[in-house]
Amino acid sequence: DADVVLHLASQVAVTTSVQDPREDFEINALGTFNVLEAVRHFAPNAAVLYASTNKVYGGMEGAKVELANGRYRYAEFTHGIPETYPLDFHSPYGCSKGTGDQYMLDYARIYGLKTMVFRQSCIYGQRQFGVEDQGWVAHFVIATLKNRAITIYGDGKQVRDLLHVQDLVRAYELGIQQMGSHRGEVFNVGGGPQNTLSIWTEFGPLLAELAGQEPPVSRAEWRPGDQRVFVADIRKIKEALGWQPTISPQAGIRDLYQWVSENPDLF
């Protein structure tokens, strides 16, 4: 008698997937298959929303990147990467999450299930216990407050679109409400071009302002597959569901910083 199934469970780190690809596959790919089979047999009328990832787009070698004003940007994709961009997984994690992504779409087509896929960008917010390999925004904030060194890979000019968890929750609520009109569809869910931040040349000064001092930093070489820029094109979900982000990275990071500072024993 379930009305809604939110499939948010996952193995979440690219690095972990490289170290143990079988476990990554069993959690993400086989786990998602099991969720869909359970819904198909026992709750076929339930709405199923799946947390996918922008990593399904892979290295995006075809998206030309240029350096301008101290940060990377797309030379051509001014609105960001659209849902129609070719999938190219590039890691065990990308493969396993992409498998779940495509199973969701095909179970809507083949079995008539009410599924929806959200390809999520950098989600952050209160109660995110970020570590270096996952949840990097929270990781940077926690490390700053705990006076732990932050490792910056590459030149720090990499750009990401950030989405506060409160905005993400609104997207899920709207997806549930409008599932009947958008069954079997995939949406990018990210900050979009208006909510981007370079991971250190812009984030670093913001953290220094909040902390009253420069955070301790170490430098390292680029990691394999590290994208110079990822920005999601969110025009489709805006048009279809009437959703768009409302919380800027600057406001959201200040909110996260305050929460971590008020709960130091959790870290």
Side-chain angles (χ1 to χ4, degrees), residues 133-244:
D133 293 331
Q134 198 277 331
W136 66 273
V137 175
H139 167 62
F140 280 14
V141 169
I142 294 164
T144 298
L145 278 160
K146 290 291 186 177
N147 201 35
R148 301 169 185 163
I150 298 169
T151 301
I152 302 300
Y153 296 92
D155 57 16
K157 299 174 183 177
Q158 303 97 304
V159 168
R160 301 290 183 267
D161 65 324
L162 274 57
L163 183 66
H164 194 275
V165 66
Q166 291 180 15
D167 281 328
L168 177 66
V169 169
R170 284 195 304 104
Y172 275 90
E173 290 172 341
L174 288 168
I176 293 167
Q177 294 167 11
Q178 301 183 58
M179 177 66 75
S181 303
H182 299 285
R183 176 182 62 84
E185 291 196 45
V186 57
F187 297 101
N188 286 337
V189 184
Q194 303 305 314
N195 293 283
T196 63
L197 201 68
S198 67
I199 68 168
W200 196 246
T201 55
E202 294 170 355
F203 198 177
L206 177 57
L207 285 173
E209 176 192 337
L210 292 169
Q213 61 182 9
E214 295 289 333
V217 172
S218 63
R219 297 279 181 169
E221 294 298 319
W222 291 93
R223 293 178 293 186
D226 192 11
Q227 301 162 336
R228 297 301 198 266
V229 56
F230 184 86
V231 178
D233 183 340
I234 56 173
R235 289 178 296 172
K236 180 182 176 182
I237 190 172
K238 180 179 179 180
E239 181 178 349
L241 302 186
W243 174 90
Q244 62 182 352

Side-chain angles (χ1 to χ4, degrees), residues 38-54:
V39 171
R40 182 167 77 92
H41 288 291
F42 302 111
N45 295 315
V48 186
L49 290 88
Y50 174 62
S52 186
T53 171
N54 59 32

Side-chain angles (χ1 to χ4, degrees), residues 10-30 50 53 55-56 58 88-100 224:
S10 176
Q11 189 295 110
V12 295
V14 172
T15 49
T16 301
S17 78
V18 173
Q19 295 165 2
D20 194 342
R22 178 175 293 278
E23 181 180 63
D24 175 81
F25 172 84
E26 290 176 350
I27 293 171
N28 291 349
L30 182 58
Y50 174 62
T53 171
K55 293 296 188 293
V56 299
D88 188 15
F89 301 141
H90 268 239
S91 68
Y93 172 77
C95 288
S96 64
K97 290 295 292 183
T99 297

Side-chain angles (χ1 to χ4, degrees), residues 54-69:
N54 59 32
K55 293 296 188 293
V56 299
Y57 298 116
M60 299 179 299
E61 286 82 359
K64 186 183 297 184
V65 171
E66 58 189 15
L67 186 62
N69 300 319

